[in-house]
Amino acid sequence: MDADAPLCIKIFQLDYYLGLPINDIDSCYSDLRGSYAGKLPIVRVYGTSPSGQKICAHIHGYLPYFFVAVTDQNPDFFSTEFLRSFCSGLEKHLRSKCKGFAADDPIVFHADFVRGRSIYGYREQEDMFVKVYLLDPSLISTCADVLLNGGVMNRHFQALETHIPYLLKFCIDHNLYGMNYLQTPHFRVRSSVLPMLSELIFLIGDLNSTVNKSLPSFCSNMKLSSSGIPSNAEFLSSDQAPRCTCMELEVDISAPDVINQEELLGWLESFFRLSLSRLF
């Protein structure tokens, strides 16, 4: 594999979990709360490389989000103080509805103002929305109910895009679909082995390690092959991120490094150029 070529993973299955942040990959500090998040949602992709190598990829940095319509044109609504009050009220009601959260467990990670057009009805101009980022994808629908019922700031807010599942939104935002190749030029390889495979002789410089015959039969066929790994690949130590699957290759990727959306942008550019050429 060329060192400059992107890593390609054919997508077979996706899931997500709440995991500990990894230094230099995750941004876990919340400016809104002024504290660090203990756990972050991580998308996990199972697939194979073009050569057939089985890969598990942990995608970091993609937080669940939704939009809240702001119909009031009062300038006081478009301020940092409003965002803090809004998020504080939302988090307070979420804690009252969803038991089990510790006092220092953050729920709302970040919020910001964005402009856009709702697809519902005709909009001559762009409207203002609050884009809210959470740390737990399972709370999206609960947020919509709390906002619609007037549980925040004694006002009724309409939440948008709360009906789209977290993993589906991840695929939409990154132009991904089943059996498609996820592409990324930057990734890090988890160089440790599973705790139950402690007998396995594993050297980072030589991934073609030998397996002790005393290991369970389901492990004896596992191949730790370095084929497909660029010579300049970065590795994560077992202290940073221990392996958690029996896949041949386990990597960590930052969500902004997934470059599939560039294909969509290129296609749209070609489409608009073709449309303009037909008009003129």
Side-chain angles (χ1 to χ4, degrees):
M1 179 177 178
D2 187 357
D4 296 327
L7 174 68
C8 297
I9 306 172
K10 179 176 284 189
I11 302 173
F12 288 167
Q13 184 177 350
L14 294 93
D15 63 11
Y16 76 88
Y17 64 97
L18 298 179
L20 298 176
I22 298 178
N23 292 336
D24 301 329
I25 297 181
D26 290 301
S27 177
C28 58
Y29 182 76
S30 172
D31 294 327
L32 184 69
R33 293 177 53 89
S35 61
Y36 291 89
K39 290 186 177 181
L40 297 171
I42 300 173
V43 177
R44 189 161 45 193
V45 178
Y46 298 93
T48 61
S49 67
S51 61
Q53 189 176 35
K54 295 178 176 62
I55 302 176
C56 173
H58 304 263
I59 314 295
H60 301 256
Y62 185 77
L63 297 179
Y65 66 88
F66 61 92
F67 298 93
V68 178
V70 181
T71 57
D72 199 320
Q73 298 301 317
N74 188 336
D76 294 338
F77 273 63
F78 310 116
S79 63
T80 304
E81 290 73 17
F82 168 78
L83 284 180
R84 292 187 182 277
S85 299
F86 176 85
C87 294
S88 176
L90 177 59
E91 185 157 324
K92 178 181 178 181
H93 280 78
L94 287 175
R95 291 186 186 279
S96 65
K97 285 182 170 291
C98 305
K99 306 299 182 182
F101 285 104
D104 56 346
D105 284 342
I107 300 177
V108 181
F109 185 78
H110 182 67
D112 204 356
F113 290 109
V114 296
R115 288 188 175 274
R117 284 188 175 91
S118 173
I119 63 173
Y120 300 104
Y122 172 73
R123 298 289 188 276
E124 184 176 353
Q125 297 179 345
E126 291 183 338
D127 297 320
M128 187 70 76
F129 298 88
V130 177
K131 189 175 184 179
V132 182
Y133 295 88
L134 303 180
L135 291 178
D136 189 345
S138 65
L139 296 177
I140 292 288
S141 58
T142 306
C143 288
D145 294 337
V146 169
L147 292 169
L148 190 61
N149 294 329
V152 178
M153 303 178 70
N154 295 321
R155 295 175 60 92
H156 298 277
F157 293 97
Q158 181 184 12
L160 306 174
E161 295 193 10
T162 56
H163 63 291
I164 306 177
Y166 173 64
L167 293 176
L168 177 58
K169 185 174 288 189
F170 168 77
C171 291
I172 293 172
D173 288 347
H174 294 87
N175 189 31
L176 299 172
Y177 48 88
M179 303 305 292
N180 181 30
Y181 278 106
L182 181 151
Q183 302 178 47
T184 177
H186 306 294
F187 62 95
R188 298 187 181 186
V189 180
R190 296 196 179 191
S191 58
S192 62
V193 294
L194 289 169
M196 63 180 178
L197 301 181
S198 57
E199 298 91 343
L200 183 63
I201 302 173
F202 184 87
L203 298 176
I204 295 179
D206 181 14
L207 293 180
N208 294 313
S209 304
T210 58
V211 181
N212 192 308
K213 294 182 179 180
S214 63
L215 291 177
S217 59
F218 79 93
C219 298
S220 60
N221 294 325
M222 188 177 71
K223 300 177 182 178
L224 294 177
S225 171
S226 61
S227 61
I229 303 179
S231 58
N232 62 343
E234 298 183 42
F235 288 85
L236 292 171
S237 67
S238 58
D239 295 334
Q240 292 176 290
R243 285 176 59 95
C244 58
T245 72
C246 291
M247 308 293 277
E248 295 179 56
L249 186 63
E250 198 164 340
V251 299
D252 289 83
I253 302 169
S254 181
D257 290 332
V258 178
I259 59 175
N260 291 69
Q261 60 268 39
E262 295 180 4
E263 297 179 356
L264 180 60
L265 295 176
W267 181 87
L268 289 174
E269 183 179 358
S270 301
F271 174 78
F272 284 122
R273 285 182 178 178
L274 179 61
S275 300
L276 289 175
S277 65
R278 291 177 177 177
L279 290 175
F280 301 100

